Amino acid sequence: MDALPVPRLLLINPNTDTDMTRRMVTYANALFDGAVAVEAVTARFGARYITDRVSVTIAGHAVLDALACARGPFDGVLVACFGDPGREALASICPVPVVGMAQASLMRAARLPGRFSIVTGGQEWKPMLAELVQALGLGAHLASIRILPAAGNVLAKGGAAACRQIIRTCNDAVQHDGAARVLLGGAGLAGFAARIAPDVAAPVMCSLRESLQEVRNLLSHPAPSLRHRAPMETVGLSPELQRYLASGTDICAYQD
């Protein structure tokens, strides 16, 4: 009997930091252990690390462009940024599951008993994440959003000092905000949950790990059939994205 094909996941990093993309792929491959084939694409333009509304907006375009440049077909797509830039647009045209790092990890945190807190880096994320939590209908499940002073890409390279800072902030969320668990948000904080868990007074969740677990669950279901949409006339986009939008072909199945 022939073995079933391994599902293919496209991981899109909306940040332009290729080192971060490599770290996320390494993390995903270790988690999947061969059960899912991971291909990654890094945004070709935009912020090196997304920290505010302007960079999130630019990243939404960059995510569409990155997907148009990828070599399909794929069985699922992960928007690997805690702000989920472009996720809704991708989901509206893609025939396979599109998962956002924030959407998936927040939903998984909310399924567990008690309220959860978000810990992430970058001051401008707090109102954006509060809006996202409300948009997902999870406001009643949120204990707090606590912001670390440094952005996630800085914390990723911070070593022991960054761990101490994250531990302190997580314990503040537990002790002062009543969090039953803490969700570390952002690609830059991937891998920290396991490192700091012994020193935090409640379970610590990693947004990358949770979103990858959600992807694996979705990939266990058969992919929907190809669907078509009306061609779109555009001006000034990359040749790849312009060609795709003009083709009326599903982006996850499109190839040159």
Side-chain angles (χ1 to χ4, degrees):
M1 174 180 279
D2 293 335
L4 293 174
V6 175
R8 296 184 66 201
L9 170 67
L10 178 63
L11 184 153
I12 300 178
N13 180 10
N15 306 280
T16 59
D17 187 337
T18 55
D19 288 340
M20 180 175 296
T21 304
R22 284 191 289 269
R23 290 196 298 271
M24 289 194 286
V25 170
T26 298
Y27 189 102
N29 284 333
L31 180 66
F32 290 144
D33 192 24
V36 177
V38 180
E39 180 173 330
V41 179
T42 305
R44 296 197 294 183
F45 57 86
R48 183 165 179 80
Y49 193 75
I50 298 166
T51 58
D52 56 23
R53 293 183 190 274
V54 173
S55 54
V56 167
T57 300
I58 295 169
H61 176 189
V63 162
L64 287 167
D65 176 77
L67 195 53
C69 293
R71 296 291 298 177
F74 302 101
D75 301 295
V77 179
L78 173 62
V79 180
C81 169
F82 200 60
D84 294 353
R87 178 188 64 81
E88 292 183 348
L90 294 189
S92 72
I93 61 175
C94 208
V96 299
V98 176
V99 173
M101 182 187 286
Q103 169 214 29
S105 58
L106 290 169
M107 295 293 289
R108 288 172 69 90
R111 291 174 195 154
L112 299 171
R115 297 187 300 160
F116 66 92
S117 286
I118 301 168
V119 170
T120 192
Q123 291 296 329
E124 296 199 40
W125 274 114
K126 188 168 186 176
M128 292 190 289
L129 291 176
E131 292 166 11
L132 180 56
V133 169
Q134 291 299 324
L136 292 171
L138 303 179
H141 299 271
L142 182 68
S144 64
I145 301 173
R146 286 194 171 253
I147 301 295
L148 299 156
N153 60 330
V154 176
L155 292 165
K157 303 174 183 177
C163 280
R164 288 193 295 271
Q165 188 178 73
I166 298 169
I167 289 167
R168 183 168 58 251
T169 304
C170 289
N171 280 325
D172 285 344
V174 175
Q175 295 163 8
H176 302 298
D177 306 331
R181 71 197 59 83
V182 178
L183 175 63
L184 297 185
L189 297 184
F192 273 99
R195 294 164 62 185
I196 70 170
D199 298 308
V200 177
V204 183
M205 303 173 71
C206 169
S207 61
L208 178 58
R209 182 182 181 86
E210 296 301 320
S211 58
L212 289 169
Q213 295 281 28
E214 191 71 9
V215 165
R216 179 154 57 183
N217 291 343
L218 291 171
L219 291 179
S220 66
H221 302 293
S225 59
L226 184 69
R227 66 176 186 270
H228 297 280
R229 53 182 173 72
M232 181 188 299
E233 293 187 21
T234 60
V235 175
L237 302 179
S238 69
E240 296 87 355
L241 183 54
Q242 188 164 352
R243 185 166 62 249
Y244 159 68
L245 293 174
S247 72
T249 304
D250 282 302
I251 202 161
C252 292
Y254 176 72
Q255 300 186 57
D256 290 333

